[in-house]
């Protein structure tokens, strides 16, 4: 009888240690995912901060191209108010589309393309786009690791009970597979 009690205590202890270890691991991985998402938001905010300067520079050269300028401003505002990976991805897609139209407008103004402020802003925007791509990849890698962990045995036994569910990936917008047409 004494030996059976010790075996039960050992099994319960092992399960308790496993649950604690799983919980702490999930908290750590979850915070990593949240940190990676924060980096995406940071880079999206950086781009949103650059856009007014770009728009104002274009405005000076292309005052009659108000529709393209307004579309960028509206898309930027929508991105600022978007929530979660899906909402941010959709708003980001709209902003990309509006920026593309604005850049087509800029192509029609050779003096604007030669302006050093415009070139500097475009370089900043290009660098930011690269940072966003890296941040999205890092986030998706972290989400993959997290989702694998919560679905793996024995963690899957505890994850749901402890409130850990799957995270969403940052997905490309619908038209991302089509090559954009640029006409000069």
């Amino acid at each position: 009888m004494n030996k059976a009690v010790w075996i039960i205590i050992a099994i319960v202890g092992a399960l308790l240690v496993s649950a604690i270890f799983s919980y702490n691991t999930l908290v750590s991985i979850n915070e990593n995912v949240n940190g990676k998402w924060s980096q995406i938001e940071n880079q999206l905010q950086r781009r949103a901060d650059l856009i007014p300067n770009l728009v104002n520079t274009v405005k000076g050269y292309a005052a009659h191209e108000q529709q393209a300028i307004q579309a960028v401003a509206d898309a930027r505002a929508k991105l600022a108010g978007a929530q979660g990976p899906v909402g941010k991805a959709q708003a980001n897609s709209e902003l990309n589309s509006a920026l593309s139209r604005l850049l087509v407008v800029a192509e029609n103004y050779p003096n604007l393309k030669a302006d050093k402020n415009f070139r500097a802003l475009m370089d900043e925007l290009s660098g930011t786009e690269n940072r966003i791509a890296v941040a999205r990849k890092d986030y998706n890698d972290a989400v993959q690791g997290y989702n694998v962990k919560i679905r793996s045995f024995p963690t899957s036994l505890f994850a749901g009970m402890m409130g850990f569910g799957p995270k969403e990936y940052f997905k490309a917008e619908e038209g991302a597979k089509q090559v954009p047409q640029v006409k000069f």
Side-chain angles (χ1 to χ4, degrees), residues 34-115:
N34 292 341
K36 299 296 184 182
W37 176 249
S38 178
Q39 283 304 313
I40 290 175
E41 289 184 325
N42 181 32
Q43 295 306 325
L44 291 174
Q45 183 62 50
R46 183 176 192 269
R47 180 174 62 177
D49 291 345
L50 285 170
I51 288 172
N53 294 328
L54 182 66
V55 167
N56 287 333
T57 303
V58 173
K59 262 187 198 178
Y61 283 90
H64 63 282
E65 303 286 359
Q66 200 57 30
Q67 186 179 9
I69 292 168
Q70 188 61 45
V72 171
D74 292 345
R76 180 181 176 267
K78 190 171 184 179
L79 180 62
Q83 298 294 318
V86 173
K88 292 273 185 183
Q90 289 171 343
N92 184 52
S93 175
E94 288 181 33
L95 182 58
N96 286 342
S97 177
L99 276 174
S100 294
R101 288 190 303 271
L102 183 67
L103 295 177
V104 167
V105 168
E107 289 294 327
N108 293 327
Y109 295 89
N111 291 340
L112 173 60
K113 291 192 306 187
D115 182 77

Side-chain angles (χ1 to χ4, degrees), residues 11 92 134:
I11 291 172
N92 184 52
V134 168

Side-chain angles (χ1 to χ4, degrees), residues 159-175:
M161 292 186 300
M162 294 184 272
F164 293 97
K167 298 279 187 182
E168 293 181 40
Y169 288 96
F170 195 102
K171 295 180 182 167
E173 54 269 8
E174 283 297 313

